[in-house]
Amino acid sequence: MARLFHREVGMSFGDWRRRMCLLLSLPRLASGVSILEVALEHGYQSPSAFSAMFRRSLGVSPTEYLVSNV
């Protein structure tokens, strides 16, 4: 299944899931939902775990991203 997913989508399921979490979280964060709530919605155990994934993926924290892009 993993090979088929990679062949069809061009990335691993984990990479795809992280990207989906980011794409779905941006409008929620921009609308004022807390990082804690967004993190829990996407299955992260804490806002710091979500923020670490966000920073690894986009190079800035969720707060920094919102300040510079909203």
Side-chain angles (χ1 to χ4, degrees):
M1 187 65 143
R3 286 191 296 268
L4 176 62
F5 191 92
H6 193 277
R7 186 176 12 165
E8 294 294 320
V9 180
M11 64 182 74
S12 71
F13 179 75
D15 290 341
W16 176 83
R17 182 186 177 284
R18 277 184 288 284
R19 286 188 187 195
M20 286 295 96
C21 284
L22 286 171
L23 288 174
L24 295 172
S25 69
L26 292 175
R28 300 278 291 144
L29 293 168
S31 70
V33 176
S34 71
I35 294 172
L36 172 63
E37 190 173 336
V38 172
L40 295 176
E41 287 173 358
H42 293 290
Y44 287 86
Q45 295 293 318
S46 67
S48 61
F50 174 79
S51 293
M53 177 278 298
F54 196 100
R55 183 180 295 277
R56 272 193 314 276
S57 299
L58 298 179
V60 294
S61 72
T63 304
E64 293 169 328
Y65 183 86
L66 290 173
V67 168
S68 65
N69 290 298
V70 172

